[in-house]
Structures are given as C-alpha cells and as structure tokens.
Amino acid sequence: MKLATFDAGEGQRLGALTASGDALVDLTSTGQADLASMQALIDAGDAGLAKARAALEAGDPIRLQDVKLLAPLPCPPQIRDASTAPRHIMNAPVGMRRLAALLQDQPDPGPAEGSIPDIYRAQPIFYITNRFSVAGHGADIRWPGYSRYMDYELEVAVVIGKGGRDIPAASAMDHVFGFTIFNDFSARDTQLREMQGMLGPAKGKSFDAGNVFGPWIVTRDEIADYRNLRCTAHINGRLVTDSRLGEMLHGFEDMIAYISDSETLHPGEIIGGGTVDDGCGLERCEFLSDGDEISLTVEGIGSLVNKVVAAGQR
C-alpha cells in the first residue's frame, strides 16, 4: 500500500492510494482508532495494516487533486540520517572546498578526485536531526535568512514499524514499516562554517521545513529490492541526478543493526539512507536559486516536489 497523510479541509487524515494512483481513500473516516493517523497505524502493526487494506477496498475515492498532501509523519518520534553512497562521500568534501574558495573570493579549484575515509567503510555514519522541522509534498521551503547557498539532497528513507533493541542485521528488515523519499535540504555555507566545530551539522540542516518526506510511505512488501531503486532529480524540469541505491556502503539492514546496538528503536522513527551518488548540487558545486522547483522521483515510491523561496539575506 501507499499510505499518505492529507488535508481535505478537515485537518490531518490518514489515506491510502487507490490502484489507479490518482485518488485516495480516507481511512480516518472509518472511526477506527488504529486508522486515526499514520503513527496510530504504525503502532497497530500487522493488525492495523489489515484494517487499512479492508478500508481501502470499501472506501470511496477522493481525487488527489482535491487534497493537500502533508508529510506522511508530520512529527516523527525521531529522524536519523546516514551517509552511505561512495561517490557522494568522495565528492561532497571536494564540493565544500570549492564552495570555501567561492566564499573567500578565491578562484574555483574545480573538481578533483576525492577519497572515502576508512570510518565510512567500517561502520554506518549518521546524525540526528530536528524531528519538528518537517514538511511534505508541494510545500514551499522558505530558506533561512542566514544562508545564500541552497541545496537539495535526494535520499530514500525507511520508517521503523516494529521497535527493538540489539536487532540483528539478518532480521532488520522485519522491523521496517515502509519506504519514503527524503529531501534533506541543506544550507551549505552555514554547514561549511559550523562543521569546523567537529560536532556534525546543526543550522546547516536544522531550519523550519528543512526535512521533507513524501509524497507517501510505501509499505515494505511493495519494494522487492530497495538497492535496485532508480532515483532521479529534476530542477525546473532539467535532469540533474540519475542514480541507484545499489552502491550503498551499508544497507538499511546494517544501519538498523548499528543504531539499535544497546539503544531501543521505536515505531515511527525515520532513518535516511543518505544522499544517493550524485544526489546533490554540492557534488557539482551547483546551487539552487529563488523559485527553483525540485522534483525527486524514486522508482516504486513516487515523486516529491517542492519549491525553494529565498528569504532576505541577513
């Protein structure tokens, strides 16, 4: 199933897409507690999914064009984001050096061959971001006034369905509820400055609507092999990214096993798989402009579209 959170004028509702893909059924209208919201459905486990399937078959469709899609989980319990794609790991620091030269009015040193630090091969590397700074499909992303260098990041994320601690990699996918697209918008000039503090990203990633998910969650059973998913990005209709997940240094199984080591994962938590290879402007030293429309498409999931709106520079 493809499960969405939407608003048709009555506030947040849980919906399931019809087979045609151009309409959804309001699951919340059944009055069942397990279908009151996406989080309630996730908490209900397999029994909740069975109720959702039955309601989808019996319900009356509502056209997608008549609703506003929201983030599938408007306030997830937690968001973690990893970095696993080898070319991104190699090229992003090169992009940062080029950006640093631009900020200092120095000549652009141009592209160069990067390298993968050993730690990225040894274990999954991730950070925790602001779970309150979430937006969905169609939202305008108002850029923070402290940044001039706007960037997108194309990712696929998993949503945890069954919690647990010390989860073995071999059974980790049993804990996944589904998959969604993640646009990890990044204020690159701010990120460049604050990463010198060696504590990971902060305001470079954490601003209102900086974490965009959607357009919905696709349940795990609909994705046969996530590593084979084709991921593309278009800016104002121009193709800028065409990649696949297959080159990940660590798959979601390893991420879940590593994160849950001596730490409990809870239903509804989101884990981003990291920017796909060639999945952001930083790797090319190309950045977004005011009014740009960014469309991220992942095979088997859908398309997540947003527009960036630049604020006045402070």
Side-chain angles (χ1 to χ4, degrees):
M1 278 187 297
K2 291 182 173 68
L3 298 158
T5 297
F6 72 96
D7 185 355
E10 299 177 333
Q12 293 181 10
R13 316 279 285 188
L14 174 66
L17 262 71
T18 61
S20 64
D22 60 359
L24 52 75
V25 170
D26 183 352
L27 304 183
T28 300
S29 65
T30 64
Q32 300 180 74
D34 291 346
L35 304 182
S37 67
M38 188 72 76
Q39 186 64 53
L41 174 59
I42 294 170
D43 289 338
D46 290 341
L49 286 173
K51 294 177 183 179
R53 292 188 183 97
L56 173 59
E57 292 179 4
D60 295 323
I62 306 169
R63 296 183 305 174
L64 278 179
Q65 66 189 56
D66 294 332
V67 308
K68 178 183 179 182
L69 291 175
L70 308 174
L73 277 164
C75 189
Q78 184 67 276
I79 305 172
R80 294 177 175 86
D81 195 17
S83 186
T84 61
R87 287 202 306 277
H88 174 72
I89 294 169
M90 293 170 61
N91 293 334
V94 175
M96 281 295 191
R97 288 195 290 272
R98 297 178 68 186
L99 175 58
L102 292 175
L103 292 172
Q104 297 168 15
D105 294 324
Q106 299 294 322
D108 181 358
E113 185 69 24
S115 61
I116 301 176
D118 291 341
I119 188 64
Y120 281 90
R121 298 186 186 277
Q123 67 183 60
I125 299 296
F126 71 95
Y127 68 96
I128 295 175
T129 190
N130 189 345
R131 70 187 186 95
F132 298 104
S133 297
V134 171
H137 174 79
D140 287 351
I141 310 304
R142 184 170 176 80
W143 210 253
Y146 53 73
S147 169
R148 287 194 302 133
Y149 287 85
M150 308 180 286
D151 201 6
Y152 74 99
E153 293 197 35
L154 170 53
E155 305 189 27
V156 174
V158 294
V159 180
I160 297 298
K162 182 173 65 174
R165 170 184 159 135
D166 300 322
I167 300 169
S171 60
M173 293 308 291
D174 294 338
H175 291 257
V176 171
F177 177 78
F179 298 84
T180 191
I181 304 172
F182 179 18
N183 193 337
D184 174 28
F185 281 107
S186 301
R188 293 304 190 190
D189 43 356
T190 304
Q191 182 186 7
L192 172 65
R193 181 175 63 253
E194 66 190 6
M195 288 295 285
Q196 298 175 55
M198 304 290 286
L199 283 179
K203 298 299 289 181
K205 301 279 190 176
S206 185
F207 47 87
D208 284 350
N211 300 303
V212 183
F213 299 99
W216 35 68
I217 296 171
V218 177
T219 51
R220 186 185 73 243
D221 59 293
E222 294 208 3
I223 303 293
D225 180 8
Y226 69 81
R227 284 182 174 269
N228 198 40
L229 296 178
R230 184 185 179 193
C231 306
T232 60
H234 291 79
I235 297 176
N236 301 325
R238 177 174 63 94
L239 179 67
V240 292
T241 297
D242 191 345
S243 190
R244 291 186 183 269
L245 290 185
E247 299 301 320
M248 300 167 79
L249 297 177
H250 305 281
F252 287 113
E253 298 89 340
D254 292 330
M255 292 181 222
I256 291 169
Y258 182 78
I259 292 169
S260 70
D261 183 0
S262 303
E263 180 178 355
T264 301
L265 276 174
H266 299 274
E269 293 196 45
I270 295 176
I271 300 174
T275 307
V276 303
D277 284 328
D278 308 316
C280 67
L282 179 65
E283 297 178 57
R284 306 180 299 275
C285 204
E286 297 176 359
F287 301 98
L288 300 172
S289 299
D290 182 27
D292 279 351
E293 181 184 84
I294 304 93
S295 177
L296 308 183
T297 300
V298 176
E299 183 181 27
I301 300 179
S303 295
L304 177 64
V305 181
N306 299 96
K307 183 173 73 174
V308 293
V309 179
Q313 177 72 16
R314 294 201 300 269

